[in-house]
Amino acid sequence: MTAMYEEISRGLMVQVVVLQAIVWYDISLCLFEIRAAELLIAEQFPETAGSIASFKVESNLISLSGQDPIEA
């Protein structure tokens, strides 16, 4: 890079490498957390973990105190 673009390319290359490291570290960390959560669910609920497709919250639920409606 220095032979083609002189000394300015060194600083730009360092910035690009650091930025890529920050971005890919965050993405890989999120993917590992998702994988760990999926494995934990599959371990705790071995029969039904694969059949969980969605969650539904009824709009007319009442809180445990019986006074306030639950907001979701």
Side-chain angles (χ1 to χ4, degrees):
M1 291 290 291
T2 305
M4 290 174 56
Y5 301 109
E6 299 177 357
E7 284 298 316
I8 195 168
S9 67
R10 183 178 302 172
L12 291 175
M13 186 55 73
V14 169
Q15 290 177 10
V16 167
V17 168
V18 169
L19 182 65
Q20 286 289 319
I22 291 170
V23 169
W24 287 115
Y25 176 76
D26 290 339
I27 290 173
S28 63
L29 185 63
C30 288
L31 291 176
F32 282 129
E33 288 293 329
I34 291 170
R35 181 174 176 260
E38 288 175 350
L39 291 175
L40 180 66
I41 290 172
E43 180 181 304
Q44 289 186 352
F45 306 103
E47 294 88 22
T48 60
S51 65
I52 298 174
S54 66
F55 294 96
K56 183 178 180 183
V57 177
E58 297 292 330
S59 61
N60 59 353
L61 293 177
I62 302 297
S63 67
L64 293 176
S65 66
Q67 299 172 357
D68 301 323
I70 294 179
E71 295 179 14

